Amino acid sequence: MTDSEDGGRERRNRCRRVSEYDADLRSYATTADETGKDAGTGGNADIGEDAERSGSGGTAETVTTDGGDPRPDDGSNGDPFAVGSIFAREELLRVGYVPERDRIIGRDNEIRAVGKALGPAVRGGPPRNLLLYGKTGTGKSLVSKHMAREAGARASDNGVDLIYQYVDCSNDDTETRAARELALGVRDTLEPNLSIPRKGIGAAEYFRHVWDLLDDHDVRSLIVILDEVDKLDGDDDILMTLSRAEESGKTDSYVGIIAISNKIQYRESIGERVDSSLQDREFVFHPYDATQLRQILENRRDAFQPDVLSADVIPKVAALAAREHGDARKAIDILRYAGAIAEESDSSQVLEEHIDSAMERAEADRFAELVSGSTPHVKYILVALASLTMRRDEEEFAKQDIYSTYKQVCANEGSDPISWDRVSRLLKEQSFLGITESRHTGGGYEKGSYRVHSLNRDPEIVLKALDSGSEL
C-alpha cells in the first residue's frame, strides 16, 4: 500500500471516529436532558465561582463510612447535589481564579515589572501604563490581576484609594462594549445600587459614568486591565480616552492601563497618536518550561481529594503541555478535565489513561470558546477547511477549493453562501486571529503566485468543536 493510500485510509478512519464521537455527544445530551427533567434540577449548576466567594472551597457534603472515616458524598446516599469524590476545591482549576503569591510560579521578573508600573499609584502618584505580550497561558492575565489586587491592598494601607477593573476584549470587542463593561465594573465596586443602562447609550456616556463615579468617591487611581486588547476590532480610541482622561480634565483620578496582547506585533497596529499618548513600557512573557508547569500543577493538587491523583498524572500533563505549547492555562484545563472524566467513569482515581481524553476535550472546548462569537459563515468556512484537510493528502488549500467545499456546507445547513470576496476577507480575519495560516505560493514556471490557507488546529478538534462530524 502506498503512503498516499495509507494516509487516505487514516483520514477516513478519523472522520468515522469524529462521526461516532458526535453521535455519542448527541446521545449523552439527550440522556442528560431527560434525566434533568425527571430530576427537576434543570441540569448541573456551576458552583465554582459561588464556592470561591463564600470560602467554602466547593467541597461536597461529608458523610461517614461504616469505618467512621469521612468522605465526600458521591451520590450513593441519595443527595441530588452530590458531585462525586474526585474534587475538593475545583475552583482552584478555574480560568478566572487568581491565586496568592506563593502559588504563582516562574514569574518573579514579570511580577517585578508590573509592580514597578503600579508602584507610584500605591503611594498616591500616577500609575505607569504597561503593554504585556506573550502567548496564551503564559501568566499575563494572572500576574496583572494579582498585582492590581495587591496594589489596591497596599494603597489602602497607605491611605490611598486605588481600584482596578478587568475587561476581556475578546468578549467586549468594540469601544462601546468595553466602556460598558468598565462602567458596570466600577459601578459594582463603588456604588452597586446606581442604575446604568446596558443598551441605548454610547461609549462617551459610559465613560461619563466612570469619571463621575471616580470623582464622587474620591478614588485616587483606577487601573484598567484590557485583556486581549488586539481583539478590539481595530478600535484603539479607548486607549486614547483612558490614557488622557486625567490630563484632559475628564476626571481628577489617575488612570493607568495594563494592555495585554497575544501578538507581539500589536504595537505596530495602533495609531501614532495613541502610541504617543500611551508612553507605555513593554514586557514579554515567555512560555513555561516543563519544570515550571509541573510546579504550577503541584500547587493546584489540593483541588483534588487526597490520594486521588495517581503519581504519573501531573508529570505527564506537564511534559505534554511543555512540549506542545508551554501553556499553563491549558495544562490546568487538562488536569481539570481528567478529573471530570474520572468522575464520569466512576473511577476513584485520576489515572494516566484519562489524560488523552482530557486533552481532546480541553482542545475542543478552547477552540469552541475561541470561535463562539463568530458568525455562522465563519464556522462554515472552518468546517470546509477541516473537511478538506481530513479527506485529502494535503494541509494547504487554494481559495477556490475552500469556496467550493464551503458552498456544500452551506447547502447542508440550508443557508445561502456569501460572496467569494467576503469569504476571502473572512479567511484573512481568521489568519489574523491565529485560527488559520495563509501564505503566498512561490509560483514557478508558467504558474502564478496565489494564496493558500491551512488550519492551525487538528481538523478533528475543529469538527468536534463546531459539532460537525460528517465528511463532505
Side-chain angles (χ1 to χ4, degrees), residues 342-354:
E343 202 166 62
E344 291 165 9
S345 61
D346 294 325
S347 174
S348 60
Q349 277 194 305
V350 182
L351 305 172
E352 186 176 0
E353 67 194 50
H354 298 129

Side-chain angles (χ1 to χ4, degrees), residues 187-202:
R187 185 273 312 271
D188 291 345
T189 300
L190 299 176
E191 198 172 323
N193 293 327
L194 177 68
S195 176
I196 296 179
R198 296 190 65 90
K199 300 191 226 180
I201 62 176

Side-chain angles (χ1 to χ4, degrees), residues 352-370:
E352 186 176 0
E353 67 194 50
H354 298 129
I355 295 173
D356 292 338
S357 298
M359 285 185 67
E360 284 193 14
R361 186 180 295 187
E363 184 67 26
D365 281 4
R366 289 285 292 276
F367 184 80
E369 181 183 350
L370 184 63

